[in-house]
Amino acid sequence: MAIPISRTHLIALTLLLFAVTVFADCTCDPKDLEKDPKTVTTRYKVGALFLILVASGLGVAAPLAGKKIKALSPEGDVFFMIKAFAAGVILATGFIHILPDSFEQLSSPCLKGSAWENFPFAGFVAMVAAIATLMIESTATGYYRRMHFKGEKSTVAGLDADVEHSGHVHMHTHAAHGHSHDDATVVGSAEATGRLELIGNVLELGIMVHSVIIGVTLGTAGSLSTIKPLMAALCFHQFFEGMGLGGCIAQAKFKWRAMLTMAMFFCLTTPLGLAIGIGITNIYNENSPTSLIVQGVFDSAASGILIYMALVDLLAADFMNPRVQNNPRIQLGSNISLLLGAGCMSVLAKWA
């Protein structure tokens, strides 16, 4: 059976392959790093590939299990806490793991020219990526609304719609227009579902870009003292990040075939980067200007996307939801889960 590949996945793969083609450029002296025998390091890397694949699969599958396990259902109270934990993970990934690396890469001494020294390109690219994500979301949501209300301008004028980020919809109709409350609710629910699908796709794009880069980083490491802690850290990293993505996919109500495709692409990106890293170990130079610029720009853009998605589409949407604010138990649980998620991912920054 053919596996459907969405436009998001095609764009992501194109960008990632472009990044990989420049990783081998070598115009700056490489660091004098301790290296272990290649046969030993390769054995550890292959083992890491399978461990990361399993960890990614378990992470992204946990929230999706809510489709079958009632206690983990997206409509249940526990799901708010799962999403808060996952959002904390994604937020820490952007702020703690990716953004500092991009600042280091784009301000490296290997980059010649005053522009790199005097302008914070990493912060600028992250800001532009966040703004672009906002514009894409706004434009797509507006287009979705116009398509559903096409030819019914009188209905739009009579609707007082407040579509919340969480997918809960409050629609008020005026009887004079001759349209029922149920019709408006159906349109609003469809719009909210479409927006959640967009959020899931954009979030996966940001995660995929970051995942392949950290895979290449592990694949090109030459010392066991670097590989061992990085391997363990990336397993936890991918598990938690998978939970974040899986939560968004589950809430967006994708069809099973689409959910499995998105989960598969997430699971394979880091192992793909790791395999590429193993293949280019002998010619890779992480300090070449081209590598630093491309990797720094990709990291900056990914951090901007992930920070925006975590704060706006995940945390603000759920924490401002009346269901959370009216229930102190869910509110306290969500706050604790958020701190735990951000804390766990921040601690991993010591190794990865």
Side-chain angles (χ1 to χ4, degrees), residues 28-261:
C28 189
D29 291 336
K31 291 181 179 178
D32 185 18
L33 296 174
E34 174 192 353
K35 291 185 180 294
D36 288 302
K38 188 175 180 180
T39 53
V40 177
T41 58
T42 300
R43 190 161 59 244
Y44 273 89
K45 291 174 186 178
V46 172
L49 189 151
F50 289 103
L51 287 175
I52 291 172
L53 185 62
V54 171
S56 300
L58 290 175
V60 76
L64 296 181
K67 294 284 185 177
K68 298 295 183 182
I69 303 173
K70 190 175 181 180
L72 300 176
S73 170
E75 285 75 33
D77 294 345
V78 176
F79 193 75
F80 281 100
M81 301 174 198
I82 294 175
K83 274 191 69 182
F85 181 90
V89 168
I90 292 172
L91 189 62
T93 299
F95 272 121
I96 308 297
H97 288 255
I98 312 179
L99 196 56
D101 286 345
S102 64
F103 271 100
E104 183 179 348
Q105 291 152 357
L106 295 181
S107 60
S108 170
C110 289
L111 298 180
K112 307 300 181 183
S114 59
W116 299 107
E117 299 173 0
N118 300 326
F119 188 79
F121 278 102
F124 176 74
V125 173
M127 179 188 70
V128 170
I131 293 174
T133 305
L134 168 66
M135 291 180 173
I136 291 170
E137 271 196 52
S138 176
T139 302
T141 304
Y143 176 77
Y144 197 89
R145 289 175 64 93
R146 290 191 297 272
M147 289 300 293
H148 275 76
F149 286 116
K150 191 175 182 181
E152 299 182 23
K153 293 183 179 179
S154 61
T155 303
V156 178
L159 289 176
D160 177 18
D162 178 22
V163 181
E164 296 178 0
H165 292 300
S166 62
H168 298 284
V169 184
H170 304 284
M171 305 293 291
H172 306 281
T173 63
H174 300 288
H177 293 286
H179 292 274
S180 69
H181 177 90
D182 290 340
D183 291 339
T185 302
V186 168
V187 173
S189 298
E191 177 187 333
T193 299
R195 187 174 182 280
L196 288 170
E197 290 177 355
L198 176 65
I199 290 170
N201 280 310
V202 175
L203 181 61
E204 180 167 37
L205 177 62
I207 289 176
M208 284 175 65
V209 170
H210 171 56
S211 293
V212 79
I213 289 176
I214 60 176
V216 170
T217 301
L218 176 58
T220 55
S223 169
L224 288 180
S225 61
T226 300
I227 294 172
K228 288 180 179 179
L230 192 58
M231 180 173 68
L234 288 185
C235 286
F236 285 103
H237 182 283
Q238 290 304 104
F239 177 79
F240 290 142
E241 215 169 51
M243 285 187 65
L245 179 62
C248 288
I249 294 174
Q251 194 176 33
K253 299 179 180 178
F254 285 101
K255 293 181 179 178
W256 271 107
R257 192 176 181 184
M259 286 194 295
L260 291 175
T261 301

